[in-house]
Each structure stands twice: as structure tokens, then as C-alpha cells.
């Protein structure tokens, strides 16, 4: 699998707080691609269950899917292959996994796992199925979301009151507290070498970045209060949804809000997740 340049982290932590067998909201994943025929939009999953946390790569789309059985519901990680138009279960376990993210230190994905004890920890799932999955950190939990940097570092959303942003590395050093009252969407901008996130301070919802090199947080602009997810379009531009319309903001003109795509013809409800890569946009339509 290729390594991502810009990846947002997405785990549905609030459902895992309620438990792996809690009822999950129904949601559908769509993909929109730029082509000679224009912006072509099509659904990738059904809308009859929880399909969420899209992660676009050149070859296809990772996502989280709800599976139901007589004992209840749980989630597995799936991959949709563009080449053959097929979906495959890449975890297929009795526990719930969330937040598929390309793992930069080996061939596979990292994910949040709700362990049998109820603890939420970060795991590695290798592409080589002859190799067993392994826990990445024993001492860090409860993890809701995560994103990898370009070195051996990782930023994590740690559930709590309030939720906190914490930074550490693969060597297992104790995590450093970066910010409090943060949003669920984390990403890494490789060109600028900064992590991006949202957080609320004095009732104001900020888009911000953290530089590990400078060890500092920088506020960039205020987001609408309901925005909890975004995706990078390029090194200077992010996109986020309000209702079923997608807007962009550029760092060179942060006060200029531009309507990029109106997707009401495809999503009559709310767009709650976004992932952009290789001129394609994956978005989640939730009731």
C-alpha cells in the first residue's frame, strides 16, 4: 500500500464509548472524481448500516463498516478496490476496529481497537495475513483517533473530559499534552511539517496546527461551530462541509470562504466526513 501525504484520522469514538454493541447511526459513503465528463459522483456503500471513516488512496478506499450478528453489532475495517470494484474485509475479527490509517513504519494499516476489556488502544494490522496483528502502545488509552507524522511520531485524540490532543513517538515515550477540548479530525501536512486539528477555546472553534519542531500551536482561523471534520485539498487549502455543501479555506486568504461543491443532489442530509486524495473526494452522508 502507498504511504499517504495528507491523511485525516477518523474513528467513531462516541459509539465505542457506548460499547461495541451499541446501535450505530446509518451512513453511506460516496466518491466524487474529477474527469473529462466533470465531477462524477457515485455511492460506494449502501445506506442500510454504519459505513464511515473513509480514507482514500490511489488504489482504493479504506473504511469502517458495521456488521450485525445475533450477539449484536460490531465494526470491521474494509477496503474498496478501484481496479475490480470489490469490497474486502481486512480485519474480520470479533472486536470492533475503527479509524483505518496507513501505517508508515510497515506494510499495513493502524487502527483503533476496542479490546475485550473495553479499552481503546492503537493496533497494527499487517497486509501479510500470515503475520498476526499487534498492539502498538500498551500504556496509552483510551485512543479515539490518530495520525502519523513523517518521523516516528504520532498525534492522538485521547477521550476524556475534555478530550485532549497528545503527541508521542513510536518508541513509546509518555505522551505530551498539546491541547484540550479538541475536535475529532486530525491530519498531517507533510510539506509544512505540521499536524492540524480543531479545538474550542472560549466558545470559539479554531482550526489550528502544531509544529513538533517548534513545539508550538498556531491558530489559523475560526470554523463554524458545527464543523467537526475537514480534509486537506493541497498544502495550503482545506475543505469542510456545512450541511450538504463543501467549502474551502486557503491559508493565504483565511477569511475568504469559498463554496467548492454543492452535493445536495447526492446527500439530502448532512455530510459528516471527508477524505480527499488523487483528485477524488470521499464523503459520508449521515441521517
Amino acid at each position: 500500500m502507498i504511504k499517504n501525504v495528507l491523511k485525516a484520522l477518523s474513528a467513531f469514538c462516541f459509539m465505542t464509548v457506548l460499547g461495541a454493541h451499541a446501535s450505530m447511526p446509518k451512513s453511506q459513503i460516496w466518491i466524487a472524481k474529477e474527469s473529462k465528463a466533470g465531477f462524477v459522483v457515485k455511492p460506494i456503500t449502501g445506506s442500510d448500516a454504519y459505513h464511515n471513516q473513509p480514507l482514500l488512496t490511489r488504489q482504493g478506499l479504506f473504511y469502517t463498516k458495521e456488521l450485525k450478528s445475533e450477539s449484536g453489532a460490531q465494526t470491521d475495517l474494509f477496503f474498496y478496490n478501484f481496479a475490480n470494484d470489490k469490497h474486502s474485509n481486512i480485519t474480520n475479527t470479533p472486536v470492533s476496529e475503527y479509524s483505518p490509517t496507513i501505517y508508515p513504519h510497515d506494510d499495513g494499516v493502524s487502527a483503533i481497537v476496542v479490546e475485550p476489556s473495553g479499552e481503546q488502544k492503537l493496533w497494527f494490522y499487517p497486509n501479510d495475513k500470515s503475520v498476526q496483528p499487534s498492539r502498538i502502545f500498551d500504556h496509552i488509552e483510551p485512543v479515539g483517533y490518530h495520525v502519523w507524522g513523517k518521523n516516528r511520531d504520532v498525534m492522538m485524540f485521547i477521550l476524556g473530559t475534555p478530550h485532549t490532543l497528545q503527541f508521542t513517538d513510536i518508541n513509546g515515550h509518555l505522551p505530551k499534552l498539546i491541547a484540550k477540548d479538541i475536535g475529532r479530525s486530525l491530519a498531517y501536512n507533510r510539506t509544512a511539517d505540521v499536524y492540524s486539528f480543531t479545538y474550542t477555546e472560549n466558545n470559539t472553534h479554531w482550526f489550528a496546527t502544531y509544529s513538533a519542531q517548534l513545539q508550538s500551536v498556531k491558530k489559523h482561523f475560526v470554523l463554524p461551530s458545527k464543523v467537526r471534520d475537514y480534509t486537506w485539498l493541497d498544502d495550503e487549502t482545506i475543505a469542510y462541509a456545512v450541511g450538504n455543501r463543501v467549502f474551502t479555506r486557503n491559508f493565504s486568504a483565511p477569511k475568504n470562504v469559498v463554496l467548492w461543491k454543492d452535493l445536495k443532489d447526492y446527500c439530502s442530509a448532512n455530510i459528516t466526513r471527508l477524505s480527499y486524495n488523487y483528485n477524488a473526494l470521499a464523503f459520508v452522508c449521515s441521517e
Side-chain angles (χ1 to χ4, degrees):
M1 295 293 178
I2 62 171
K3 293 180 174 67
N4 303 51
V5 175
L6 302 171
K7 278 293 161 266
L9 174 94
S10 314
F12 195 52
C13 68
F14 300 108
M15 286 298 104
T16 61
V17 169
L18 293 174
H21 301 295
S23 177
M24 300 176 188
K26 295 178 181 179
S27 52
Q28 184 174 31
I29 300 176
W30 295 67
I31 289 186
K33 287 187 176 182
E34 299 283 3
S35 71
K36 293 181 180 179
F39 208 54
V40 179
V41 185
K42 69 173 186 178
I44 297 301
T45 71
S47 59
D48 57 336
Y50 178 81
H51 304 88
N52 219 311
Q53 296 125 29
L55 174 67
L56 271 173
T57 70
R58 188 182 296 274
Q59 290 90 355
L61 178 80
F62 291 95
Y63 64 97
T64 303
K65 179 179 179 178
E66 175 191 11
L67 298 176
K68 297 180 180 179
S69 66
E70 292 181 359
S71 59
Q74 50 90 213
T75 58
D76 281 346
L77 305 184
F78 278 71
F79 182 73
Y80 170 68
N81 192 315
F82 291 149
N84 58 21
D85 196 34
K86 291 184 178 180
H87 300 257
S88 57
N89 188 328
I90 62 174
T91 53
N92 196 21
T93 70
V95 298
S96 286
E97 296 93 7
Y98 297 85
S99 181
T101 301
I102 299 298
Y103 185 63
H105 309 298
D106 207 338
D107 188 20
V109 297
S110 53
I112 310 303
V113 175
V114 185
E115 299 183 355
S117 64
E119 295 179 319
Q120 290 182 211
K121 295 190 177 183
L122 191 60
W123 281 64
F124 168 63
Y125 285 85
N127 290 331
D128 183 351
K129 299 308 177 186
S130 67
V131 180
Q132 290 297 312
S134 58
R135 190 190 289 143
I136 297 174
F137 298 120
D138 292 329
H139 63 292
I140 302 175
E141 64 93 20
V143 185
Y145 312 88
H146 71 293
V147 64
W148 297 99
K150 72 177 180 182
N151 295 314
R152 298 179 64 82
D153 44 72
V154 61
M155 191 74 80
M156 292 177 289
F157 174 115
I158 303 298
L159 282 79
T161 307
H163 305 313
T164 58
L165 184 67
Q166 299 190 26
F167 174 83
T168 188
D169 57 54
I170 199 67
N171 297 319
H173 290 130
L174 290 176
K176 175 183 178 181
L177 176 65
I178 304 301
K180 298 179 180 181
D181 202 4
I182 67 166
R184 70 189 180 201
S185 188
L186 309 180
Y188 178 68
N189 185 319
R190 182 172 292 273
T191 301
D193 189 20
V194 293
Y195 290 91
S196 60
F197 63 100
T198 65
Y199 77 111
T200 300
E201 183 180 70
N202 297 325
N203 295 319
T204 302
H205 192 51
W206 289 94
F207 179 84
T209 56
Y210 173 74
S211 168
Q213 182 178 6
L214 300 176
Q215 298 185 26
S216 62
V217 171
K218 181 178 180 180
K219 299 176 183 175
H220 291 277
F221 44 78
V222 175
L223 288 170
S225 60
K226 292 184 179 180
V227 172
R228 289 295 179 268
D229 198 75
Y230 64 88
T231 186
W232 287 91
L233 298 186
D234 56 41
D235 294 336
E236 292 288 328
T237 310
I238 68 163
Y240 58 86
V242 177
N244 48 25
R245 300 194 298 170
V246 181
F247 298 86
T248 65
R249 301 278 282 273
N250 189 282
F251 277 25
S252 62
K255 294 183 179 180
N256 188 22
V257 181
V258 178
L259 175 61
W260 181 45
K261 301 293 179 184
D262 188 338
L263 299 172
K264 65 178 180 296
D265 291 339
Y266 312 99
C267 179
S268 61
N270 295 307
I271 295 172
T272 55
R273 307 275 179 151
L274 298 165
S275 178
Y276 183 83
N277 219 341
Y278 303 107
N279 298 316
L281 175 72
F283 63 93
V284 175
C285 183
S286 298
E287 294 298 329

